[in-house]
């Protein structure tokens, strides 16, 4: 019974970490796109 609880606990922690990584990756990708668009607009003006 104890081993099952430990596995579930570890899995839950891993899922939280995975979500955090995906959110951070999304934010960084968004910043890259915004930066690219801003530099492109600046270069064309």
């Amino acid at each position: 019974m104890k081993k099952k609880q430990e596995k579930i606990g570890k899995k839950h922690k891993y899922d939280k970490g995975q979500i955090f990584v995906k959110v951070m990756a999304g934010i960084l990708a968004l910043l890259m796109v915004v930066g690219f668009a801003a530099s492109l607009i600046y270069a064309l003006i």
Side-chain angles (χ1 to χ4, degrees):
M1 189 91 180
K2 232 181 186 183
K3 284 182 183 178
K4 276 189 177 181
Q5 284 179 344
E6 281 178 21
K7 281 183 181 180
I8 291 167
K10 282 182 184 177
K11 196 175 184 185
H12 186 68
K13 211 173 192 181
Y14 177 71
D15 288 344
K16 268 189 179 178
Q18 206 174 20
I19 289 164
F20 175 73
V21 168
K22 284 183 180 180
V23 168
M24 287 301 292
I27 290 168
L28 287 173
L30 186 69
L31 283 172
M32 282 169 54
V33 170
V34 169
F36 175 75
S39 61
L40 189 67
I41 290 165
Y42 182 74
L44 290 173
I45 290 172

